[in-house]
Coordinates of all heavy atoms in Angstrom, one line a residue:
M1 N -16.6 -7.8 -13.2 CA -15.7 -7.5 -12.1 C -16.5 -7.6 -10.8 O -17.6 -7.0 -10.7 CB -15.1 -6.2 -12.2 CG -14.3 -5.7 -11.0 SD -12.8 -6.6 -10.7 CE -11.6 -5.8 -11.7
V2 N -16.0 -8.4 -9.8 CA -16.6 -8.4 -8.5 C -15.5 -7.7 -7.6 O -14.4 -8.3 -7.4 CB -16.9 -9.8 -8.0 CG1 -17.4 -9.8 -6.5 CG2 -17.9 -10.5 -8.9
S3 N -15.9 -6.6 -7.0 CA -14.9 -5.8 -6.3 C -15.3 -5.6 -4.8 O -16.4 -5.2 -4.5 CB -14.7 -4.5 -6.9 OG -13.7 -3.7 -6.2
S4 N -14.4 -5.9 -3.9 CA -14.6 -5.5 -2.5 C -14.1 -4.0 -2.4 O -13.7 -3.4 -3.4 CB -13.7 -6.4 -1.6 OG -14.1 -7.7 -1.8
G5 N -14.2 -3.5 -1.2 CA -13.6 -2.2 -1.0 C -14.6 -1.1 -0.5 O -14.1 -0.1 0.0
A6 N -15.9 -1.4 -0.6 CA -16.8 -0.3 -0.2 C -16.7 0.0 1.3 O -16.6 1.2 1.7 CB -18.2 -0.7 -0.6
I7 N -16.7 -1.0 2.1 CA -16.7 -0.8 3.6 C -15.3 -0.1 3.9 O -15.2 0.8 4.7 CB -16.9 -2.0 4.3 CG1 -18.4 -2.4 4.2 CG2 -16.6 -1.9 5.8 CD1 -18.8 -3.7 4.9
A8 N -14.2 -0.7 3.4 CA -12.9 -0.2 3.7 C -12.8 1.3 3.2 O -12.2 2.1 4.0 CB -11.8 -1.0 3.0
E9 N -13.3 1.6 2.1 CA -13.2 3.0 1.6 C -14.1 3.9 2.5 O -13.7 5.0 2.8 CB -13.7 3.1 0.2 CG -13.8 4.5 -0.4 CD -12.6 5.4 -0.4 OE1 -11.5 4.8 -0.2 OE2 -12.6 6.6 -0.7
G10 N -15.2 3.4 2.9 CA -16.1 4.2 3.8 C -15.4 4.4 5.2 O -15.5 5.5 5.7
M11 N -14.7 3.4 5.7 CA -14.0 3.5 6.9 C -13.0 4.6 6.8 O -12.8 5.5 7.7 CB -13.3 2.2 7.3 CG -14.2 1.1 7.8 SD -13.4 -0.5 7.8 CE -11.9 -0.1 8.8
K12 N -12.3 4.7 5.7 CA -11.3 5.7 5.5 C -11.9 7.1 5.5 O -11.4 8.0 6.1 CB -10.5 5.4 4.2 CG -9.3 6.3 3.9 CD -9.7 7.3 2.8 CE -8.5 8.2 2.5 NZ -8.8 9.2 1.5
R13 N -13.0 7.2 4.7 CA -13.7 8.5 4.6 C -14.3 9.0 5.9 O -14.4 10.2 6.2 CB -14.7 8.4 3.5 CG -14.2 8.2 2.1 CD -15.3 8.3 1.1 NE -14.7 8.3 -0.3 CZ -15.3 8.8 -1.4 NH1 -16.5 9.4 -1.3 NH2 -14.7 8.7 -2.5
L14 N -14.7 8.0 6.7 CA -15.2 8.4 8.0 C -14.2 8.5 9.1 O -14.5 8.8 10.3 CB -16.3 7.3 8.4 CG -17.5 7.3 7.6 CD1 -18.4 6.0 7.9 CD2 -18.4 8.5 7.8
G15 N -12.9 8.2 8.8 CA -11.9 8.3 9.8 C -11.8 7.2 10.8 O -11.3 7.3 11.9
W16 N -12.4 6.0 10.4 CA -12.3 4.8 11.3 C -11.1 4.0 11.0 O -10.9 3.6 9.9 CB -13.6 4.0 11.2 CG -14.9 4.7 11.5 CD1 -15.0 5.9 12.2 CD2 -16.2 4.3 11.2 NE1 -16.3 6.3 12.3 CE2 -17.1 5.3 11.8 CE3 -16.8 3.2 10.6 CZ2 -18.5 5.2 11.7 CZ3 -18.1 3.1 10.5 CH2 -19.0 4.1 11.0
S17 N -10.4 3.6 12.1 CA -9.2 2.8 11.9 C -9.5 1.3 12.0 O -8.7 0.5 11.5 CB -8.1 3.2 12.9 OG -8.6 3.1 14.2
A18 N -10.5 0.9 12.7 CA -10.8 -0.5 12.9 C -12.2 -0.8 12.3 O -13.1 0.1 12.4 CB -10.9 -0.8 14.4
R19 N -12.3 -1.9 11.7 CA -13.6 -2.3 11.1 C -14.7 -2.4 12.2 O -14.5 -3.1 13.2 CB -13.4 -3.7 10.4 CG -14.7 -4.2 9.7 CD -14.4 -5.6 9.1 NE -15.6 -6.1 8.5 CZ -15.9 -6.0 7.2 NH1 -15.0 -5.4 6.4 NH2 -17.0 -6.5 6.7
P20 N -15.8 -1.8 12.1 CA -16.8 -1.8 13.1 C -17.5 -3.2 13.2 O -17.5 -3.9 12.2 CB -17.8 -0.7 12.6 CG -17.6 -0.6 11.2 CD -16.2 -0.9 10.9
R21 N -18.1 -3.4 14.3 CA -18.8 -4.7 14.5 C -20.3 -4.6 14.4 O -21.0 -5.5 14.1 CB -18.4 -5.3 15.9 CG -16.9 -5.7 16.0 CD -16.7 -6.3 17.4 NE -15.3 -6.7 17.5 CZ -14.8 -7.3 18.6 NH1 -15.6 -7.6 19.7 NH2 -13.5 -7.6 18.7
E22 N -20.8 -3.4 14.7 CA -22.2 -3.2 14.6 C -22.7 -3.1 13.2 O -22.1 -2.5 12.3 CB -22.6 -1.9 15.4 CG -22.3 -1.9 16.9 CD -23.2 -2.9 17.6 OE1 -24.3 -3.2 17.2 OE2 -22.7 -3.5 18.6
L23 N -23.8 -3.8 12.9 CA -24.3 -3.9 11.5 C -24.6 -2.6 11.0 O -24.3 -2.3 9.8 CB -25.5 -4.9 11.5 CG -26.1 -5.1 10.1 CD1 -25.1 -5.8 9.2 CD2 -27.4 -6.0 10.2
N24 N -25.3 -1.7 11.8 CA -25.6 -0.4 11.2 C -24.4 0.4 10.9 O -24.5 1.2 9.9 CB -26.5 0.3 12.2 CG -25.8 0.6 13.6 OD1 -25.2 -0.3 14.1 ND2 -25.9 1.8 14.1
E25 N -23.3 0.3 11.6 CA -22.1 1.0 11.3 C -21.5 0.5 10.0 O -20.9 1.2 9.2 CB -21.1 1.0 12.4 CG -21.6 1.7 13.7 CD -20.6 1.7 14.8 OE1 -19.8 0.7 14.8 OE2 -20.7 2.6 15.7
L26 N -21.5 -0.8 9.8 CA -21.0 -1.4 8.6 C -21.8 -1.0 7.4 O -21.2 -0.7 6.3 CB -21.0 -3.0 8.7 CG -20.0 -3.7 9.6 CD1 -20.4 -5.1 9.8 CD2 -18.6 -3.5 9.0
Q27 N -23.1 -0.9 7.6 CA -24.0 -0.4 6.5 C -23.7 1.0 6.1 O -23.7 1.4 5.0 CB -25.4 -0.7 6.9 CG -25.8 -2.1 6.9 CD -27.2 -2.3 7.5 OE1 -27.7 -1.6 8.4 NE2 -27.9 -3.4 7.1
A28 N -23.5 1.8 7.2 CA -23.2 3.2 6.9 C -21.8 3.4 6.2 O -21.7 4.2 5.3 CB -23.1 4.0 8.3
A29 N -20.8 2.6 6.6 CA -19.5 2.7 6.0 C -19.7 2.3 4.5 O -19.0 2.9 3.6 CB -18.5 1.8 6.7
A30 N -20.5 1.2 4.2 CA -20.7 0.8 2.9 C -21.3 1.8 2.0 O -21.0 2.0 0.9 CB -21.5 -0.5 2.9
A31 N -22.3 2.5 2.6 CA -23.0 3.5 1.8 C -22.1 4.7 1.5 O -22.2 5.2 0.3 CB -24.2 4.0 2.7
V32 N -21.2 5.1 2.4 CA -20.3 6.1 2.1 C -19.2 5.7 1.1 O -18.9 6.4 0.1 CB -19.6 6.6 3.4 CG1 -18.5 7.6 3.1 CG2 -20.6 7.2 4.3
G33 N -18.7 4.5 1.3 CA -17.6 4.0 0.4 C -18.1 3.6 -1.0 O -17.3 3.7 -1.9
Q34 N -19.3 3.2 -1.1 CA -19.8 2.7 -2.4 C -19.7 3.9 -3.4 O -19.5 3.6 -4.6 CB -21.2 2.2 -2.3 CG -21.7 1.4 -3.5 CD -20.8 0.1 -3.7 OE1 -20.1 0.0 -4.7 NE2 -20.9 -0.8 -2.7
M35 N -19.9 5.1 -3.0 CA -19.9 6.2 -3.9 C -18.5 6.3 -4.5 O -18.4 6.5 -5.8 CB -20.2 7.5 -3.1 CG -21.6 7.5 -2.5 SD -22.9 7.6 -3.7 CE -22.7 9.3 -4.3
G36 N -17.5 6.3 -3.7 CA -16.2 6.4 -4.3 C -15.7 5.3 -5.1 O -15.1 5.4 -6.1
L37 N -16.1 4.1 -4.7 CA -15.7 2.8 -5.4 C -16.3 2.8 -6.8 O -15.6 2.6 -7.8 CB -16.2 1.6 -4.6 CG -15.7 0.3 -5.1 CD1 -14.2 0.1 -4.9 CD2 -16.4 -0.9 -4.4
A38 N -17.6 3.1 -6.9 CA -18.3 3.1 -8.2 C -17.7 4.2 -9.1 O -17.5 4.0 -10.3 CB -19.8 3.3 -8.0
Q39 N -17.5 5.4 -8.5 CA -16.9 6.5 -9.3 C -15.5 6.1 -9.9 O -15.2 6.4 -11.0 CB -16.8 7.7 -8.5 CG -16.3 8.9 -9.3 CD -16.3 10.2 -8.4 OE1 -15.9 10.1 -7.2 NE2 -16.6 11.3 -9.0
M40 N -14.7 5.5 -9.0 CA -13.4 5.1 -9.5 C -13.4 4.1 -10.6 O -12.7 4.3 -11.6 CB -12.6 4.5 -8.3 CG -11.1 4.2 -8.6 SD -10.1 5.6 -8.9 CE -10.0 6.3 -7.2
Y41 N -14.2 3.1 -10.5 CA -14.2 2.1 -11.6 C -14.8 2.7 -12.8 O -14.3 2.4 -13.9 CB -15.1 0.9 -11.1 CG -14.3 -0.2 -10.4 CD1 -14.4 -0.3 -9.0 CD2 -13.4 -1.0 -11.1 CE1 -13.7 -1.3 -8.4 CE2 -12.6 -1.9 -10.4 CZ -12.8 -2.1 -9.1 OH -12.0 -3.0 -8.4
E42 N -15.8 3.5 -12.7 CA -16.4 4.1 -13.9 C -15.4 5.0 -14.6 O -15.3 4.9 -15.9 CB -17.6 5.0 -13.5 CG -18.6 5.4 -14.7 CD -18.1 6.6 -15.4 OE1 -17.4 7.4 -14.8 OE2 -18.4 6.7 -16.6
T43 N -14.6 5.8 -13.9 CA -13.6 6.6 -14.4 C -12.5 5.9 -15.1 O -12.2 6.1 -16.3 CB -13.0 7.6 -13.4 OG1 -14.0 8.4 -12.8 CG2 -11.9 8.4 -13.9
K44 N -12.0 4.9 -14.4 CA -10.8 4.1 -15.0 C -11.3 3.2 -16.1 O -10.5 3.0 -17.1 CB -10.2 3.3 -13.9 CG -9.6 4.1 -12.8 CD -8.5 5.1 -13.4 CE -7.9 6.0 -12.3 NZ -6.9 6.9 -12.9

């Protein structure tokens, strides 16, 4: 399985409505979102 969604989930958890343009903010969103994404797939 190749799954997108880490940045989008991170945006949601961080309360961001628009996808950031700065690389460091994208990386931060990915770091936050990857936790939930991996946990969801592992559980299901």
Side-chain angles (χ1 to χ4, degrees):
M1 171 68 87
V2 176
S3 179
S4 301
I7 290 179
E9 172 64 7
M11 288 167 51
K12 184 255 184 182
R13 293 186 174 204
L14 292 168
W16 297 348
S17 59
R19 184 184 177 95
R21 296 183 178 181
E22 295 296 327
L23 182 60
N24 62 313
E25 292 181 336
L26 287 168
Q27 291 171 329
V32 173
Q34 196 63 247
M35 298 292 290
L37 189 67
Q39 182 182 39
M40 181 69 72
Y41 272 106
E42 195 277 335
T43 299
K44 295 303 177 182

